[in-house]
Amino acid sequence: MASTLLFSRLLPGPTARSFTSSAIQQLYKLKSHSGTKKRWKSIANGRFKRQKAGAAHLNVNKAPSRKNSLMQTAISHGFQTPLLKKLLPYGS
């Protein structure tokens, strides 16, 4: 660090860095949770949807009504939605 300051004093040109106001006002990007990205999708009303688990294999032993309910999409409940908005700040 000290050597860069020394060389910057020896070289001609402006030594002070000029920062613009737009760079100071810029906020950090938030990271989305990888597991949540793979499992949940945001819908238009602000809630999230996902596929139900347990319908991929071993379906012979399951009742038809159970298989039908497992194939439907699940919507996030009231307490899940704020947590999912934190995990997926930009939707998915």
Side-chain angles (χ1 to χ4, degrees), residues 17-64:
R17 298 176 100 186
S18 61
F19 292 103
T20 61
S21 62
S22 63
I24 295 171
Q25 294 174 354
Q26 189 176 19
L27 298 175
Y28 294 106
K29 291 182 181 178
L30 300 174
K31 288 192 174 181
S32 298
H33 190 266
S34 298
T36 311
K37 268 194 297 194
K38 296 170 189 172
R39 291 168 175 85
W40 293 88
K41 302 291 177 200
S42 60
I43 54 178
N45 62 2
R47 296 173 81 180
F48 294 85
K49 69 177 182 177
R50 66 169 172 88
Q51 291 292 321
K52 291 185 179 179
H57 63 97
L58 301 176
N59 291 327
V60 176
N61 302 327
K62 296 174 186 167

Side-chain angles (χ1 to χ4, degrees), residues 5-6 9 26 40 54 56 58 71 74 85:
L5 290 174
L6 179 66
R9 290 182 188 157
Q26 189 176 19
W40 293 88
L58 301 176
M71 294 305 292
K85 285 185 179 180

